[in-house]
């Protein structure tokens, strides 16, 4: 672990992405279309990065990165938009064999993150036995209990990450960060499994303010788990970041419809993804103004 | 607090007024100075907690204090009375469950420094907190047991041992290895697959011992102010090696002493 951690870790989305390198294994927090660090994902889309291995409880992060040709390998248990079961860009990449895939069971996936977080080579579990998930993945091996039961278990290998990207409701400049929603997902495990950790947040506040109206248990991440803090308002858009905002279902539907058709996708990319984060947020605002009956 | 209140002056000479301090205060200050700013320290109640909070108030404001009860980065404004003291959670960066402390912080080597002490330590820094004398099944003295010490000894990046020195506690070979130091010396620790470096300093009321780089035998490297080598030899249960360049611990500064005494006063102590 590094020592003499810098006190102020605030940086821009592009500063954070500039720390990433081609070929890295990048874990992305959140779950499906929920509290995804989308501003950081969009910054990767704008970058020259390539050959990434993405490890994710997949949502639009996975679809967008695959469609942009950033991904060589994908490690996941599912990829979904929640209210829209299939992520169309992921589906296209998977059906065109555009990326190498490693498909896990969700419990295994968590166990692999836990093993990495505990710096163990593997952890045993039962999930996956008898499933073809095991058949198609030579990394998933079994181990026999040395105790009297002699049971055969899955030896889930550690999901070691070079980088973790997560999005939280609030953070301070040191990297203490908290969530206000109903579920922490696995963001703490992603950070503990990674060598470099970047947190985007709706708002950076003073340390004391974090717990002024919220219990200390909402602080999922502490400063020892974080290397960079990025303030990105609406930075999880269009995924949920409750209670700050829910999922932008209207936008997600437009995204999914466009993604299912190559010609519409070019148009969508042109309109929303050709500029920086501010341009994206402006285009989203214009989209809603249009939808609500303006011109 | 201390019963060993033999006061010594900083330079041992008459002249300019110098702060007087006890050997226990010197031991606490030496432990405090061994904690580097910005690192994470696993803290137990008693001297380690006092030393860590002293460090945070003096040279190491960014020191991250981790107590076994699950408080990470706690910043108490007084000494906690136990690891369950509410002030630890109230002033923490975050609070996690005890299993998380062991699984995600201690075992993976995320803690830079762990403090240990015990009833016995031997010349290779192995610690006994289990049984003394007689047979394992029928010991003369039954001690509290392992607690979390073996894991602290194995997995913290480095360990500081803090103990008062006497022939009863500093023995040639411990009766039971509760927490491994350097085993039988040399690279025994690596052979056991330990990820942490092991005990880098043994801080006592008489000075400081450090492991020889090759044999790993604990060697006297620093004397406490006004302590003689012979005193330390007499308080050690094996033929003590003494470093060629023997140093003397810098006495506590006025600032260290006043902060230490203020801290002790927060739990009703006087020294």
């Amino acid at each position: 672990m590094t020592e003499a951690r810098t006190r102020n870790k605030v940086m821009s989305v592009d500063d954070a992405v500039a720390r990433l390198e081609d070929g890295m294994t990048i874990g992305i927090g959140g779950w499906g279309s929920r509290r995804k660090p989308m501003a950081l994902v969009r910054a990767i889309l704008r970058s020259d990065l390539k050959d990434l291995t993405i490890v994710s409880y997949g949502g639009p992060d996975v679809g967008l990165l695959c469609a942009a040709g950033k991904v060589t390998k994908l490690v996941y248990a599912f990829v979904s938009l929640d209210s829209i079961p299939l992520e169309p860009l992921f589906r296209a990449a998977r059906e065109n064999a555009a990326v190498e895939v490693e498909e896990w069971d969700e419990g295994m996936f968590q166990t692999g993150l836990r093993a990495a977080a505990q710096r163990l080579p593997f952890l045993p579990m039962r999930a996956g036995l008898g499933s073809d998930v095991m058949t198609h993945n030579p990394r998933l091996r079994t181990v026999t209990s040395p105790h009297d039961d002699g049971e055969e278990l899955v030896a889930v290998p550690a999901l070691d990450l070079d980088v973790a990207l997560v999005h939280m409701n609030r953070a301070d400049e040191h990297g203490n960060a908290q969530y206000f929603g109903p579920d922490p997902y696995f963001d703490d495990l992603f950070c503990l499994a990674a060598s470099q950790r970047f947190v985007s947040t709706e708002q950076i506040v003073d340390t004391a303010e974090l717990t002024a109206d919220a219990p200390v248990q909402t602080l999922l991440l502490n400063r020892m788990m974080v290397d960079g803090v990025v303030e990105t308002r609406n930075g999880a858009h269009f995924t949920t970041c409750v209670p700050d905002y829910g999922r932008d279902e209207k936008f997600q539907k437009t995204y999914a419809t466009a993604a299912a058709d190559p010609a519409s996708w070019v148009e969508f990319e042109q309109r929303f993804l050709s500029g920086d984060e501010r341009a994206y947020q402006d285009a989203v605002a214009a989209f809603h103004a249009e939808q609500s009956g303006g011109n | 607090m201390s019963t060993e209140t033999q006061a010594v002056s900083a330079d041992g000479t008459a002249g300019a007024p110098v702060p007087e301090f006890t050997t226990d205060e010197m031991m606490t200050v030496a432990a405090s100075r061994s904690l580097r700013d910005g690192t994470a320290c696993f803290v137990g109640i008693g001297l380690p907690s006092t030393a860590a909070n002293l460090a945070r108030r003096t040279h190491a404001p960014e020191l991250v204090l981790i107590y076994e009860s699950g408080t990470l980065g706690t910043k108490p404004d007084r000494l906690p009375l136990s690891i369950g003291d509410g002030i630890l959670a109230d002033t923490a960066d975050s609070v996690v469950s005890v299993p998380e402390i062991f699984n995600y912080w201690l075992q993976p080597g995320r803690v830079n420094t762990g403090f240990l002490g015990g009833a016995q330590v031997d010349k290779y820094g192995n610690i006994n907190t289990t049984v003394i004398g007689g047979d394992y099944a029928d010991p003369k003295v039954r001690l509290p047991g392992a607690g979390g010490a073996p894991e602290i000894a194995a997995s913290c990046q480095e360990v500081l041992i803090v103990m008062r020195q006497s022939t009863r506690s500093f023995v040639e070979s411990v009766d039971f290895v509760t927490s491994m130091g350097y085993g039988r010396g040399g690279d025994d620790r690596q052979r056991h697959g330990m990820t942490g470096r092991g005990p880098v300093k043994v801080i006592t009321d008489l000075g400081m011992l450090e492991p020889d780089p090759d044999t790993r035998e604990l060697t006297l490297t620093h004397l406490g102010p006004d302590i003689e080598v012979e005193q330390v030899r007499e308080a050690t249960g094996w033929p003590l090696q003494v470093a060629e360049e023997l140093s003397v611990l810098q006495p506590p500064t006025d600032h260290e002493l006043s902060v230490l005494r203020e801290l002790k006063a927060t739990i009703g102590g006087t020294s």
Side-chain angles (χ1 to χ4, degrees):
Chain A
M1 301 296 290
T2 51
E3 291 184 5
R5 298 168 181 86
T6 48
R7 197 175 163 78
N8 186 332
K9 298 172 184 166
V10 177
M11 55 177 70
S12 72
V13 274
D14 294 312
D15 289 341
V17 169
R19 304 256 196 114
L20 313 187
E21 291 168 25
D22 293 348
M24 276 185 163
T25 297
I26 297 179
I28 301 177
W31 194 96
S33 190
R34 304 183 195 187
R35 201 153 48 69
K36 283 284 177 182
M38 294 302 288
L40 287 165
V41 169
R42 287 186 283 268
I44 295 178
L45 297 179
R46 292 194 297 273
S47 75
D48 296 328
L49 285 168
K50 57 179 192 302
D51 297 333
L52 303 177
T53 292
I54 298 296
V55 178
S56 176
Y57 288 93
D61 51 332
V62 166
L64 283 163
L65 290 168
C66 284
K70 299 293 184 191
V71 185
T72 298
K73 184 176 172 185
L74 200 53
V75 184
Y76 64 97
F78 65 81
V79 182
S80 169
L81 298 175
D82 293 14
S83 52
I84 299 171
L86 274 171
E87 214 298 344
L89 295 176
F90 158 73
R91 184 179 182 177
R94 180 77 173 89
E95 290 177 357
N96 296 329
V99 292
E100 183 190 339
V101 294
E102 216 181 272
E103 294 177 304
W104 293 39
D105 160 89
E106 194 174 342
M108 270 181 176
F109 194 94
Q110 183 210 359
T111 304
L113 289 175
R114 280 176 44 223
Q118 294 183 43
R119 305 260 162 90
L120 290 171
F122 72 90
L123 280 171
M125 80 177 306
R126 293 200 176 87
L129 291 168
S131 164
D132 277 341
V133 161
M134 300 286 291
T135 316
H136 291 282
N137 189 339
R139 275 221 293 162
L140 299 175
R141 301 176 194 167
T142 59
V143 65
T144 304
S145 164
H147 299 289
D148 291 345
D149 55 82
E151 196 177 342
E152 191 180 19
L153 298 160
V154 180
V156 183
L159 277 173
D160 293 313
L161 306 173
D162 295 315
V163 173
L165 307 176
V166 302
H167 186 78
M168 304 291 279
N169 296 92
R170 299 288 180 276
D172 68 15
E173 65 181 21
H174 314 301
N176 299 304
Q178 77 191 139
Y179 73 106
F180 294 140
D183 194 330
Y185 310 122
F186 302 92
D187 288 1
D188 50 343
L189 289 182
F190 275 98
C191 288
L192 290 170
S195 312
Q196 286 191 74
R197 299 73 45 100
F198 300 99
V199 179
S200 60
T201 182
E202 290 301 310
Q203 196 184 347
I204 293 173
V205 299
D206 288 341
T207 306
E209 203 178 312
L210 291 168
T211 46
D213 298 307
V216 71
Q217 287 80 4
T218 57
L219 281 147
L220 189 64
L221 308 181
N222 68 72
R223 57 189 153 137
M224 289 185 288
M225 297 158 74
V226 173
D227 301 290
V229 182
V230 178
E231 186 176 82
T232 54
R233 300 267 175 153
N234 216 26
H237 183 268
F238 49 89
T239 71
T240 62
C241 188
V242 287
D244 291 315
Y245 47 87
R247 183 180 302 123
D248 188 343
E249 295 286 2
K250 210 175 260 182
F251 189 91
Q252 175 163 291
K253 198 170 173 199
T254 301
Y255 160 83
T257 306
D261 170 58
S264 320
W265 180 246
V266 172
E267 227 171 275
F268 181 95
E269 270 190 313
Q270 192 56 41
R271 178 169 183 190
F272 295 104
L273 300 171
S274 58
D276 61 9
E277 180 65 15
R278 165 161 299 193
Y280 172 82
Q281 297 291 353
D282 288 348
V284 170
F287 165 82
H288 282 294
E290 206 173 89
Q291 293 287 309
S292 62
N295 30 3
Chain B
M1 291 289 285
S2 170
T3 52
E4 299 180 12
T5 50
Q6 176 202 2
V8 290
S9 65
D11 59 4
T13 58
V18 285
E20 294 206 329
F21 54 90
T22 67
T23 53
D24 274 11
E25 284 175 331
M26 181 69 249
M27 183 162 65
T28 306
V29 168
S32 165
R33 289 173 185 164
S34 301
L35 298 168
R36 296 183 303 284
D37 199 16
T39 63
C41 174
F42 199 85
V43 185
I45 295 298
L47 188 143
S49 174
T50 309
N53 281 290
L54 174 61
R56 209 172 58 73
R57 282 165 172 75
T58 52
H59 68 281
E62 294 291 302
L63 185 70
V64 177
L65 273 55
I66 300 179
Y67 287 77
E68 184 185 321
S69 48
T71 55
L72 299 171
T74 185
K75 299 167 281 286
D77 59 11
R78 58 171 171 78
L79 287 180
L81 299 171
S82 76
I83 59 166
D85 192 323
I87 192 150
L88 295 176
D90 290 345
T91 59
D93 286 338
S94 69
V95 177
V96 299
S97 68
V98 174
E100 274 188 56
I101 285 286
F102 285 101
N103 289 337
Y104 298 132
W105 294 94
L106 198 47
Q107 186 214 238
R110 292 196 165 89
V111 179
N112 300 90
T113 309
F115 276 107
L116 289 175
Q120 291 182 327
V121 63
D122 70 19
K123 68 176 178 183
Y124 292 118
N126 303 300
I127 294 173
N128 176 13
T129 52
T130 306
V131 287
I132 291 181
D135 180 72
Y136 175 68
D138 183 20
K140 266 194 200 149
V141 184
R142 173 74 219 190
L143 300 165
E151 188 165 359
I152 292 171
S155 301
C156 284
Q157 290 174 33
E158 59 179 43
V159 167
L160 298 179
I161 297 175
V162 186
M163 282 170 69
R164 294 196 189 103
Q165 197 160 355
S166 75
T167 51
R168 283 184 63 194
S169 54
F170 281 63
V171 298
E172 170 99 29
S173 176
V174 290
D175 296 345
F176 184 101
V177 177
T178 312
S179 304
M180 187 173 176
Y182 296 102
R184 291 173 186 166
D187 63 355
D188 204 17
R189 198 178 157 81
Q190 285 69 33
R191 284 204 299 274
H192 280 81
M194 303 257 166
T195 52
R197 281 173 66 198
V200 294
K201 290 177 184 177
V202 179
I203 297 162
T204 84
D205 52 341
L206 302 180
M208 188 189 296
L209 287 67
E210 294 174 79
D212 178 273
D214 299 317
T215 66
R216 303 293 175 189
E217 183 175 327
L218 294 178
T219 304
L220 182 67
T221 58
H222 292 75
L223 285 169
D226 291 341
I227 304 290
E228 302 294 334
V229 172
E230 209 43 45
Q231 273 175 274
V232 190
R233 284 193 202 278
E234 281 168 13
T236 308
W238 69 84
L240 180 66
Q241 302 292 315
V242 179
E244 279 178 29
E245 288 184 29
L246 188 61
S247 311
V248 177
L249 294 174
Q250 286 293 317
T253 63
D254 288 349
H255 182 59
E256 284 169 328
L257 266 187
S258 67
V259 174
L260 173 59
R261 288 173 183 172
E262 274 169 33
L263 264 176
K264 292 289 241 178
T266 62
I267 52 168
T270 52
S271 64

